[in-house]
Amino acid sequence: MSPVVLMFIGLAIFALGYFVYSKYLAKRVYRLNDDFETPAHELNDGVDYVPTNKFILWGHHFTSVAGAAPIVGPAIAVIWGWLPALLWVTIGTVFFAGMHDFGALWASARNKGRSIGALSGRYIGKRGANLFLIVIFLLLLMVIAAFAVVIKNLLISTPTSVIPTWGAIVVALLVGVAVYRLRWPLIPVTIVGVTALYALIVLGDRVPVVLPESFLGMSPATFWIVTLFVYGAIASLLPVWVLLQPRDYINGVQLFVGLALLYGAVLIGALFTEAKHNIVAPMINDAVPAGTPSIVPLLFVTIACGAISGFHGMVSSGTSSKQLDKETDARFVGYFGAVGEGLLSLGTILAVIAGFRTVAEWEEVYSAFGAGGVDAFVQGGGMLMQDGIGLPASLSATVLATMAVLFAATTMDTGMRLLRFVVQEIGDAVNVRITKVPATIVVVAVGLGLTFSQGLGGDGGLRIWPLFGTTNQLLASLTLSIIAVMLIRKRRTPWPALIPLAFVFVMSFWAAIDQLSSFANPESPDWLLFVIDVVIIVVSVWVVIEAMIAMRRAATEPPEAEDADVRLEAVREEV
C-alpha cells in the first residue's frame, strides 16, 4: 500500500475535527465569548500575563506540548502494527486531545489563569487538590529530566544539530524584540526568522560540532545536561515575550515547514520518482518480538502526545491561558494545537513504516520493544526526503534531528516554568511563600539530582521514565474530570469530557497495575519505581472518587452563577 493513502485519510480526519467538532465544542459546550475579559488583560504584568497574538500563542502552545513525545510514542507503537497506531492518533486527536487541550485552556481562562492543580481545589476540593499536586510534580520532574537526556543524546549523536539548536535562541530573541519592542509586522519577521533558522540548519550540516572527551572539566554528556538546565532556568524566569513566545512561535512555523517537506516527499516520491516507497510494516503485527507487552492497554499510554496527554493540560492552564488575547482564540490555540501534534504523529508513523525499503530493514530496527524512536524517525524520514524531494541524506537527517531537539528543548524549558509554579503552589499549601528564584533553584536542584542519580552520564533522567505514560494519561483523565465538573455546574452537556475520561482512566489505570508486577520482578526489582507507581495509583483513584462526588454534588446544586458573578466569587476567595 502507498503511504499517500494513509496521509490523505489522516489529513481528512484532522480537517473534519477542526472545522466541525471543534466548532461544536466552541459554540455548544464551552460557549466562547469575545466580550469576556481574559486573564492576560485583567492581570497583565508583562511577565507571565501578556495578551498575545493568537498565531504567536499557538506557536508557543504547540511547541511546548509537542516536544519529542509525538515522535517517540508513535515510532515505538508501530511495533504492534501501523493500523492501531493510526487509529489512536487520528481518533484520539479529534475526540480526546482536542477536547482536553481546548477545555483546559478554557477552564483556566475562566478562572484567572489558574493552573489545573489550583482548579482542582475549587472544583473538586482542597484534599483532592493537594493530591493532584503530587501527580503533577512527578510528571513534570519526569519531563524535564528525561527530555534533558533525549536532547543530550541527539546533540552527541547528531553533531550537525548543535549550531541550529543554540542559534535558534538568538533568532528567537531578535524576533521577540522585533515584534514586541519595534512593533514590526509579524509576517515579514516570520519569514526572516524562519529563513535564518534554516540557514543555521544548512550551516550546522556543514559544520558539525563534536565536543572533546573533556570539555571545561566535564564529559560531553555532563556539559550538555548542565548547559540545558542553566538555559532552562534562565528561560523560565524571563518574561514570556523575550524568549518563550518567539522561540516557540518560530519553532512552530519551522515544524510546519518540516512537515511540509516530509508530506511533500511522501506525495512526490509516490507519484513522480522511481524510488517509490510502499508501506513495509505490517498492518497488524502478529509476530512481535519476545518481551513486547500486550497492545491493550500499552498502546494507549505509549502514544500519549499525539492522541491525548495530561502534560498538555498543564501547559494550557499554566502558561497559555495567561496569554490568551480573546476567549475565542482558545479554539485555534487549544484545539488546533492538538491537531498540529496529530500531524506530527501522523508524519512520524509514515516515516517509520514507509521510510525503509524492505520488511527485513524494518524488522531489523524493530527487533525489540522500545527499539524504535527518534532514531527510527530520523532514519526513515531522511530516506523519504532524500528519495522524494532530493534532499541529501545528511541534510535530511539534520532537519529532522533539529526539529526533534528544538521541540524537546521548548518542552523542557516550559516544563521548568510549570514546575516552578507547582513548587510555589506547594509552598502556598503549607503556608510558606516561595518566590520565583528560590522555586527555580529547587527545580534545577531536584532535576539535576534525578538526572545524575545514576552517574555523570545523565542517564538517571530516564530512570522514572517508564512511569511517564501511565502518569501522563492518568493526569489527562483527572483534568477531564475538572472540565466535566465545570460543565455540570454550568448545566452544559458533560459527555464530550466524560467519554474520553472513562476510556483514558481505565486504560492508564490498567497499565499502571500491569507495571507493578514488572517493577517487583524478583530477578530485577526496582522498588523506587514500585513505590512511586503505588503512590500514583492511590492518588489517582482518590482524586477520581473525589471528582465523582463533586460531579454528583454539582448536578444537585443550583446552576453556577454567570461569569460576572463567578469572577466576583473568585476575587472573594482570594481575599
Side-chain angles (χ1 to χ4, degrees):
M1 178 188 293
S2 171
V4 173
V5 176
L6 297 188
M7 182 181 77
F8 281 117
I9 290 174
L11 293 177
I13 293 173
F14 292 146
L16 285 172
Y18 181 70
F19 290 109
V20 178
Y21 188 58
S22 75
K23 283 187 177 180
Y24 164 76
L25 294 175
K27 293 182 179 180
R28 301 294 183 183
V29 179
Y30 299 134
R31 301 182 188 176
L32 304 184
N33 181 5
D34 265 345
D35 293 331
F36 176 78
E37 185 181 23
T38 63
H41 289 282
E42 181 185 6
L43 305 174
N44 188 346
D45 62 3
V47 178
D48 293 318
Y49 292 83
V50 178
T52 304
N53 177 287
K54 71 176 183 180
F55 297 103
I56 294 179
L57 181 55
W58 176 87
H60 152 69
H61 177 83
F62 167 59
T63 52
S64 295
V65 300
I71 295 173
V72 176
I76 292 175
V78 295
I79 199 168
W80 289 299
W82 58 259
L83 181 60
L86 178 70
L87 290 175
W88 178 227
V89 163
T90 52
I91 296 174
T93 294
V94 170
F95 295 106
F96 290 60
M99 199 285 169
H100 171 275
D101 298 9
F102 186 2
L105 184 58
W106 163 78
S108 178
R110 284 282 165 167
N111 286 275
K112 293 182 174 291
R114 293 173 177 171
S115 71
I116 285 296
L119 290 181
S120 64
R122 176 173 184 182
Y123 289 99
I124 296 179
K126 289 187 177 180
R127 183 170 52 197
N130 293 335
L131 295 170
F132 209 104
L133 285 176
I134 296 174
V135 179
I136 293 174
F137 182 87
L138 290 172
L139 181 64
L140 287 173
L141 184 59
M142 294 177 199
V143 167
I144 64 173
F147 276 36
V149 177
V150 170
I151 298 167
K152 173 263 296 184
N153 289 339
L154 282 169
L155 291 175
I156 294 174
S157 66
T158 314
T160 54
S161 66
V162 173
I163 287 179
T165 294
W166 298 106
I169 296 174
V170 178
V171 173
L173 290 170
L174 295 175
V175 168
V177 171
V179 172
Y180 288 101
R181 285 295 178 262
L182 302 179
R183 303 294 180 182
W184 289 358
L186 181 60
I187 292 178
V189 171
T190 301
I191 294 173
V192 173
V194 173
T195 301
L197 182 56
Y198 272 89
L200 288 170
I201 290 175
V202 174
L203 177 63
D205 184 58
R206 296 182 179 180
V207 187
V209 177
V210 181
L211 296 183
E213 292 186 5
S214 179
F215 185 73
L216 298 179
M218 295 177 281
S219 68
T222 304
F223 173 78
W224 285 131
I225 287 175
V226 171
T227 302
L228 285 165
F229 271 95
V230 171
Y231 155 74
I234 295 172
S236 69
L237 289 170
L238 290 174
V240 291
W241 68 266
V242 174
L243 179 59
L244 192 70
Q245 284 182 353
R247 172 185 168 91
D248 293 354
Y249 171 67
I250 288 296
N251 284 349
V253 177
Q254 180 259 149
L255 167 74
F256 268 83
V257 174
L259 283 179
L261 292 174
L262 183 58
Y263 283 128
V266 172
L267 182 61
I268 295 171
L271 299 180
F272 303 110
T273 67
E274 295 181 2
K276 296 183 183 300
H277 282 262
N278 291 315
I279 296 174
V280 298
M283 179 184 295
I284 302 290
N285 192 5
D286 295 325
V288 295
T292 301
S294 172
I295 185 173
V296 179
L298 264 295
L299 171 70
F300 304 102
V301 297
T302 301
I303 300 179
C305 299
I308 183 171
S309 167
F311 179 71
H312 296 194
M314 289 188 288
V315 175
S316 294
S317 64
T319 60
S320 300
S321 63
K322 297 175 176 62
Q323 302 166 54
L324 200 64
D325 184 32
K326 297 185 295 183
E327 190 179 48
T328 50
D329 291 347
R331 173 174 167 252
F332 180 78
V333 174
Y335 196 97
F336 193 63
V339 170
E341 215 177 46
L343 289 169
L344 178 55
S345 292
L346 176 61
T348 298
I349 292 172
L350 295 175
V352 299
I353 66 176
F356 300 92
R357 297 191 185 281
T358 65
V359 176
E361 286 183 8
W362 185 86
E363 289 178 342
E364 183 179 353
V365 173
Y366 286 87
S367 58
F369 182 71
V374 175
D375 290 340
F377 168 71
V378 172
Q379 181 181 347
M383 187 65 70
L384 284 173
M385 291 168 69
Q386 179 184 7
D387 292 342
I389 57 178
L391 206 62
S394 174
L395 183 57
S396 298
T398 301
V399 170
L400 296 177
T402 301
M403 182 191 301
V405 170
L406 290 179
F407 290 147
T410 54
T411 299
M412 182 183 173
D413 59 42
T414 299
M416 291 184 71
R417 183 181 288 261
L418 293 172
L419 191 53
R420 184 245 294 173
F421 292 154
V422 171
V423 169
Q424 292 178 288
E425 288 179 1
I426 292 174
D428 292 340
V430 296
N431 296 319
V432 176
R433 185 174 182 271
I434 306 176
T435 56
K436 292 180 179 180
V437 174
T440 302
I441 292 173
V442 170
V443 170
V444 172
V446 175
L448 282 174
L450 175 61
T451 307
F452 290 133
S453 63
Q454 292 182 327
L456 295 180
D459 291 333
L462 295 177
R463 185 176 181 187
I464 60 175
W465 187 250
L467 288 170
F468 172 78
T470 52
T471 307
N472 192 39
Q473 301 304 67
L474 283 169
L475 180 60
S477 63
L478 300 182
T479 301
L480 287 167
S481 69
I482 294 172
I483 296 172
V485 172
M486 285 188 65
L487 293 174
I488 292 171
R489 288 179 63 169
K490 292 178 178 295
R491 295 299 185 269
R492 301 175 191 173
T493 177
W495 291 110
L498 289 177
I499 294 174
L501 161 61
F503 182 84
V504 172
F505 181 78
V506 168
M507 289 300 164
S508 52
F509 183 76
W510 183 355
I513 295 296
D514 270 0
Q515 285 183 313
L516 282 178
S517 59
S518 64
F519 295 148
N521 185 344
E523 296 181 1
S524 58
D526 193 325
W527 297 115
L528 173 63
L529 295 188
F530 181 87
V531 171
I532 295 176
D533 198 14
V534 169
V535 170
I536 291 170
I537 290 171
V538 172
V539 168
S540 300
V541 171
W542 198 335
V543 174
V544 165
I545 292 173
E546 296 268 4
M548 293 174 65
I549 294 172
M551 290 180 203
R552 184 174 181 180
R553 184 170 58 246
T556 58
E557 291 177 347
E560 188 177 63
E562 289 304 313
D563 298 321
D565 296 327
V566 171
R567 299 175 74 79
L568 179 60
E569 177 189 342
V571 172
R572 288 171 177 167
E573 284 181 5
E574 290 187 355
V575 173

